[in-house]
């Protein structure tokens, strides 16, 4: 980033902030003042505590957010109330409107419909549950929690409503 021109730096920073991956530490800093400060003093990575990042895609496979999974080293020695949240989502991301892995599950379902195979879609709770099933060649989506929203029900219905022979 430092090798880029000032204009390109601003463009990249704006993009990273819009995607929720970068946080401004001094929100009241003016642009002219920014040029004289070290970028590390102005911004920090939103997932700055060593989290494993999982991109979240829409049904159309556009990235709509990220989930950061806290990667604890060992068994916690501190009380649970002092530990960081297990998952951290990008600011502004509404998980109730998305089923994790829906785009890839849709592709797998279309492939099974095209071959007249029995259609199975697994609905699971977490990101890694869905990814594990996908690695096994199974269509799976995750609700990213314990409840299924109305919007997620609609996505689920649309995934299962593929007519025979479409693909």
């Amino acid at each position: 980033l430092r090798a880029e021109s000032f204009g390109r730096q601003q463009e990249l920073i704006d993009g990273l902030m819009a995607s929720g991956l970068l946080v401004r530490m001094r929100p009241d800093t003016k642009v002219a003042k920014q040029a004289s400060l070290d970028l590390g003093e102005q911004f920090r990575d939103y997932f700055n505590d060593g989290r494993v990042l999982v991109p979240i895609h829409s049904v159309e496979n556009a990235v709509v957010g990220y989930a950061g999974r806290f990667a604890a080293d060992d068994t916690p020695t501190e009380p649970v109330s002092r530990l960081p949240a297990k998952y951290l989502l990008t600011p502004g991301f509404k998980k109730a409107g998305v089923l994790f892995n829906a785009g890839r599950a849709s592709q797998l379902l279309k492939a099974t419909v095209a071959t007249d195979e029995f259609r199975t879609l697994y609905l699971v709770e977490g990101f890694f549950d869905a990814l594990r099933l996908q690695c096994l060649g199974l269509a799976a989506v995750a609700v990213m929690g314990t409840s299924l929203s109305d919007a997620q029900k609609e996505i689920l219905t649309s995934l299962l409503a593929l007519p025979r022979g479409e693909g």
Side-chain angles (χ1 to χ4, degrees), residues 19 21 47 54-58 62-67 89-91 93 98:
S19 67
L21 294 175
F47 300 101
V54 179
I56 303 169
H57 297 86
S58 66
V63 175
V64 293
Y66 293 90
L89 300 172
T90 48
F93 174 71
V98 177

Side-chain angles (χ1 to χ4, degrees), residues 54 56 67 69 86-87 89 93 95-96 98-101 121-133 139-149 152 156:
V54 179
I56 303 169
R69 169 69 160 88
K86 185 175 180 180
Y87 284 98
L89 300 172
F93 174 71
K95 67 181 182 177
V98 177
L99 278 175
F100 176 76
N101 207 40
L121 175 65
Y122 293 91
L123 179 65
V124 296
E125 180 184 354
F127 305 101
F128 294 107
D129 303 323
L131 291 173
R132 175 66 180 137
L133 289 171
V141 294
V143 294
M144 301 176 281
T146 57
S147 62
L148 188 65
S149 72
Q152 288 172 324
L156 195 56

